Amino acid sequence: MTDDLKQQFERLVADPPPPTAMPSESVFARVRTARRRRTAGALTLAAAAVVAVAVAAGNLADVNSSPPITNTPSAPVTIVTGPPTSTPSATPPASTGATSTTTGTTTGTTTGTTTGTTTGTPRSTERPTGTTTTGGTKNTPPPVRPIAVDVVLKPTVTGRTVSVKVTLSGTVIVPTENGRNLPADTSFLNLSGGTNYYWGDGAQGGSDGGSPGCGGTTRKTGHETYSIETHTYAQPGTYTLRYEVRYCNAKNSAFTTTKTVKVTVK
């Protein structure tokens, strides 16, 4: 409060001077004087308020009533925020049971699009008994080959002399010796129990299978081509060459395969 306002206020509350006229007249005079003083004091207070508002407005930096600029870089900035427009809920959103897949490209900030819903029953990982899977393709094991041997005879005639190539192929039971299978590297011909061949003119030949016998259970599939000994006919003509070979089967016994071919000599 300024000194002038203080003096005005003191005059308003000061004791009145002693009466100089009749009581009633002096009372009216005091009332008139007090009214004039109050009016003058009110005007003075209003003027002082206007001056104070003007001074405060002069200290503002702009029309937005921001604080004065002090050129202090570290001066705090007051930010006024309003109350939240909605009440946060502590209950998580209900799940719909759908599974989505998110894909996108990362470029400093991860962005992407969520698409797709996974439904259905997962594929069973069980595999059928007796099959194998390679690269997603089911491979059925080859069927069990029957115990059998095929014989192919290819004779070559030079004058009256004949040479023959024999090809053996098939599946047999490996012979045993002293209760053990013959070695795995045994040739297909040597798995046989022996051969016989008849030239058709009374001559014959063959090979002996040795001591191994039938009694095993191991199967082996193979083939072999070899040449039998040559034969010279005494007279020209057409002869029947018969070839026989013996192998073991699954019944602990041997079976014989026979093949014949016509031979003509001049």
Side-chain angles (χ1 to χ4, degrees), residues 104-112:
T105 304
T106 302
T107 56
T109 301
T110 302
T111 60

Side-chain angles (χ1 to χ4, degrees), residues 1-11 44-45 48:
M1 182 181 294
T2 61
D3 294 339
D4 185 39
L5 292 177
K6 184 176 181 180
Q7 290 177 3
Q8 293 292 336
F9 181 76
E10 289 177 352
R11 291 197 195 111
T44 303
L45 291 175

Side-chain angles (χ1 to χ4, degrees), residues 151-158 161-168 199 224-230 241 243 259-264:
V151 178
V152 175
L153 301 177
K154 187 177 180 180
T156 300
V157 178
T158 305
T161 301
V162 179
S163 61
V164 182
K165 284 188 176 181
V166 181
T167 299
L168 305 173
W199 294 104
E224 184 175 352
T225 299
Y226 75 104
S227 296
I228 62 175
E229 61 196 48
T230 61
L241 170 63
Y243 176 88
K259 187 75 172 182
T260 61
V261 64
K262 293 291 186 179
V263 177
T264 300

Side-chain angles (χ1 to χ4, degrees), residues 96-100 116-123:
T96 60
T99 303
S100 61
T117 301
T118 302
T119 59
T121 304
R123 183 179 301 173

